[in-house]
């Protein structure tokens, strides 16, 4: 077998860790790595998912950028793999032109509650809200109504906590981040005073992690309210859950002050119905009780007025034409990352939407080990041609490393004068324009929503 040519589809953390593991092999093992992404910009959820006030977390992109600069890497951003009308190349074509393909496409869909009112304007997926405030080009034109004093979030995972923080933190803090300008505009005029997080289970099994709760407690001028009878909570088995419970007790004991914004953790609460006529007016919430450690519904229903309900109940993978897909779990079925010899998965499309950025390092190591094992056993087919030729014949405007470097420098340049890490360009057309080296220097050209 000749030295390997591998394609990695998706340049978020899972994809980039896979690239790192591949480059860790010498050139006699791996000749080249083609990195594809459907967006003109790389790094997936590091750019479009991590909250804007978590700039330290985003620093992982510095290392990923170094990997892209490796002479064995070829970047093809703005190139989408699939079989639909908007797709540029098919799975079969990518595979034909490489020894193997690793899919690291994440879980870009959202789960639904399947309840009345869910489709009303004013009810949205947390994934959409997060992508909107992070300037993902597919979501920049969405609008969110922050004109009523309360937002209700269904779910209490770390994504829900991120959103609660963004909705309540001092606007000056957000102004110093790379939050999308259109979101900053809306948040500047926000009337939101309270964000309610609905957790269907009790505080002994809260979905958020302790560091995220701790970070909330350090926000200026925000009250954290714990709506639960903490004296009756059973002691959790796991050390991490006991720690979290202790922290919740400490938070609950703090005095709250009139007039401050508040984040309310409402435990043992499930949504029953999203209420509205032409748009969301409120949500009916059912109290649960704990029976043998499990939440069961009671007859008590409370009503909350709100014009915005965000369901933060988990992400969901999407199928890729030509590959198997498990519709129940939303992942591509695999064994240690191997779908079949030559086709591999890593990250959320492999294991589901769990874990933090670092989790993907081990996950990708396992996948690349499966790939190398197949290579050593002679189970991979030789590529039939060079991928660059295929992309050129398709007439796709692929963004390479130089194009991305131009976008990156341009965004940082726009940010520098405002003492921000960057000002994100939030439309695909503008990103392509900048990558071509013909950007308008008028910052207003970046504005998609007035
Ligand atoms: P998550 O942690 O799985 O939380 C999902 C939440 O939705 C849970 O509260 C869950 O309740 C609830 N839920 C699910 N189905 C429901 C239903 N039908 N009705 C009511 N509630 C329902 O997911 P996530 O918040 O989207 O986060 C995804 C991953 O990214 C997680 O691993 C998270 O740690 C990670 N992440 C990390 C950070 C960070 O480290 N800063 C930031 C963002 C995301 P149950 O717990 O009862 O199932």
């Amino acid at each position: 077998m000749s030295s390997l040519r591998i394609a990695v589809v998706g340049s978020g953390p899972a994809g980039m860790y896979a690239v790192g593991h591949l480059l860790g092999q010498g050139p006699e093992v791996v000749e080249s790595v083609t990195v594809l992404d459907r967006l003109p910009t790389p790094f997936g959820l590091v750019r479009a998912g991590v909250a804007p006030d978590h700039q330290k977390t985003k620093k992982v992109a510095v290392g990923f950028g170094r990997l892209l600069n490796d002479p064995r890497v070829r970047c093809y951003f703005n190139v989408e793999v699939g079989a639909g009308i908007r797709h540029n190349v098919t799975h079969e074509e990518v595979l034909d032109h490489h020894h193997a393909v690793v899919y690291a496409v994440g879980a870009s869909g959202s789960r639904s509650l399947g309840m009345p009112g869910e489709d009303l304007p004013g009810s949205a997926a947390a994934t959409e809200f997060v992508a909107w405030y992070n300037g993902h080009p597919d979501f920049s034109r969405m609008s969110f109504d922050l004109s009523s004093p309360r937002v209700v979030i269904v779910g209490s995972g770390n994504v829900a906590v991120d959103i609660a923080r963004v909705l309540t933190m001092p606007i000056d803090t957000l102004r110093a981040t790379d939050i999308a300008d259109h979101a900053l505009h809306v948040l500047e005029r926000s009337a939101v005073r309270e964000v309610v997080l609905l957790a269907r289970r009790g505080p002994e099994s809260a979905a958020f992690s302790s560091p995220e709760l701790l970070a909330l407690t350090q926000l200026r001028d925000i009250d954290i309210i714990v709506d639960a009878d903490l004296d009756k909570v059973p002691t959790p088995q796991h050390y991490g859950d006991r720690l979290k419970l202790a922290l919740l007790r400490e938070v609950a004991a703090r005095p709250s002050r009139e007039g401050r914004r508040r984040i309310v953790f409402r435990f043992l609460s499930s949504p029953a119905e999203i209420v509205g006529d032409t748009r969301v007016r409120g949500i009916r919430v059912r109290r649960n009780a704990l029976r043998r450690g499990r939440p069961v519904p009671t007859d008590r229903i409370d009503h909350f007025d709100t014009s915005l309900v965000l369901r933060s109940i988990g992400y969901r993978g999407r199928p890729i034409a030509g590959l198997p897909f498990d519709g129940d779990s939303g992942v591509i079925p695999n064994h240690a990352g191997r779908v079949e010899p030559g086709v591999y998965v890593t990250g959320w499309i492999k294991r589901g939407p769990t874990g933090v950025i670092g989790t993907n390092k081990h996950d990708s190591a396992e996948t690349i080990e499966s790939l190398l094992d197949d290579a050593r056993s002679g189970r991979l087919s030789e590529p039939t041609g060079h991928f660059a030729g295929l992309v050129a014949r398709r007439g796709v405007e692929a963004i390479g490393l130089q194009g991305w470097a131009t976008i990156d420098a341009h965004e940082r340049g726009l940010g520098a004068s405002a003492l921000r890490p960057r000002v994100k360009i939030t439309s695909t057309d503008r990103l392509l324009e900048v990558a071509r080296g013909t950007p308008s220097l008028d910052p207003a050209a970046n504005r998609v929503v007035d």
Side-chain angles (χ1 to χ4, degrees):
M1 164 90 37
S2 53
S3 175
L4 299 171
R5 283 190 251 150
I6 311 292
V8 175
V9 182
S11 63
M16 290 312 303
Y17 283 124
V19 172
H21 293 309
L22 287 164
L23 294 176
Q25 306 295 312
E28 66 291 352
V29 179
V30 174
E31 178 191 307
S32 66
V33 183
T34 305
V35 183
L36 293 117
D37 203 293
R38 59 180 285 264
L39 291 183
T41 52
F43 309 145
L45 285 184
V46 176
R47 182 176 165 104
V50 173
D53 59 318
H54 280 177
Q55 290 297 319
K56 271 194 196 147
T57 309
K58 286 173 187 262
K59 284 206 165 41
V60 70
V62 175
F64 294 162
R66 271 190 221 114
L67 295 174
L68 293 184
N69 276 281
D70 189 287
R72 283 184 285 162
V73 171
R74 323 260 180 276
C75 298
Y76 292 88
F77 305 141
N78 196 41
V79 176
E80 188 159 359
V81 181
I85 198 149
R86 66 173 200 285
H87 296 100
N88 309 116
V89 287
T90 65
H91 159 65
E92 289 76 13
E93 288 170 330
V94 180
L95 185 55
D96 279 353
H97 290 75
H98 296 88
H99 288 93
V101 189
V102 180
Y103 283 94
V105 292
S108 59
S110 56
R111 298 181 56 225
S112 58
L113 288 162
M115 73 171 40
E118 199 175 354
D119 297 327
L120 285 171
S123 160
T127 50
E128 296 172 320
F129 190 70
V130 169
W132 171 75
Y133 67 57
N134 275 321
H136 187 302
D138 292 356
F139 299 85
S140 293
R141 287 181 183 277
M142 288 192 80
S143 61
F144 292 93
D145 182 354
L146 303 185
S147 66
S148 80
R150 180 185 293 122
V151 171
V152 177
I153 306 178
V154 181
S156 65
N158 284 334
V159 169
V161 171
D162 276 347
I163 294 175
R165 217 176 49 249
V166 167
L167 284 168
T168 50
M169 70 168 50
I171 197 73
D172 285 348
T173 312
L174 282 176
R175 276 198 196 103
T177 72
D178 62 352
I179 190 169
D181 277 356
H182 55 249
L184 194 57
H185 249 54
V186 176
L187 285 160
E188 276 167 345
R189 295 188 295 247
S190 164
V192 174
R193 307 297 306 163
E194 177 179 277
V195 179
V196 179
L197 281 75
L198 303 180
R200 58 185 172 179
R201 296 186 284 161
E204 71 289 352
S205 38
F208 55 80
S209 56
S210 296
E212 297 314 300
L213 178 61
L214 200 60
L216 277 191
T217 63
Q218 284 154 6
L219 290 179
R220 256 192 300 133
D221 295 335
I222 292 171
D223 284 340
I224 314 288
I225 311 293
V226 182
D227 182 341
D229 190 348
L230 290 170
D231 294 334
K232 290 194 183 148
V233 174
T235 305
Q237 279 189 342
H238 296 292
Y239 172 74
D241 289 336
R242 286 203 296 276
L243 194 72
K244 208 162 21 180
L245 186 57
L247 193 57
L248 275 170
R249 286 201 165 106
E250 196 193 310
V251 169
R254 292 184 188 183
S256 54
R257 275 194 241 147
E258 200 59 35
R260 301 215 290 193
R261 283 183 170 172
R262 18 192 277 163
I263 297 173
V264 182
F265 286 95
R266 199 172 196 270
F267 288 98
L268 290 171
S269 298
S270 293
E273 183 187 358
I274 297 171
V275 185
D277 33 42
T278 53
R279 58 161 304 106
V280 170
R281 306 281 174 205
I283 182 168
R284 283 156 51 81
V285 176
R286 186 182 293 280
R287 269 289 180 195
N288 299 324
L290 265 193
R291 298 257 160 76
R292 290 191 205 97
R294 296 180 65 84
V296 290
T298 69
D299 291 338
R300 180 175 154 191
I301 299 253
D302 298 299
H303 174 92
F304 289 86
D305 285 335
T306 181
S307 59
L308 183 59
V309 173
L310 297 170
R311 52 180 192 283
S312 185
I313 58 170
Y315 288 63
R316 209 185 131 68
R318 294 182 196 273
I320 294 171
L323 297 182
F325 187 70
D326 180 338
D328 292 333
S329 55
V331 301
I332 295 178
N334 66 90
H335 297 286
R338 181 191 292 105
V339 181
E340 60 185 43
V343 183
Y344 306 85
V345 283
T346 180
W348 281 3
I349 196 63
K350 170 187 177 185
R351 67 175 195 273
T354 58
V356 294
I357 289 176
T359 314
N360 296 297
K361 194 167 185 178
H362 312 285
D363 195 1
S364 291
E366 181 191 61
T367 294
I368 298 308
E369 196 39 56
S370 296
L371 185 158
L372 294 171
D373 193 38
D374 285 345
R376 287 188 288 263
S377 316
R379 288 192 284 261
L380 303 183
S381 306
E382 285 293 322
T384 54
H386 280 275
F387 190 65
L390 173 73
V391 174
R393 285 197 298 283
R394 275 303 132 79
V396 187
E397 184 170 5
I399 304 294
L401 184 60
Q402 184 55 51
W404 160 238
T406 309
I407 293 171
D408 191 33
H410 183 78
E411 289 187 336
R412 285 178 193 281
L414 290 176
S417 55
L419 300 178
R420 299 174 65 185
R422 66 175 68 234
V423 173
K424 279 184 186 165
I425 299 165
T426 60
S427 95
T428 300
D429 287 347
R430 278 274 300 148
L431 284 164
L432 296 180
E433 199 181 292
V434 172
R436 282 181 219 124
T438 54
S440 157
L441 290 175
D442 175 7
N446 186 30
R447 201 168 291 150
V448 290
V449 181
D450 284 325

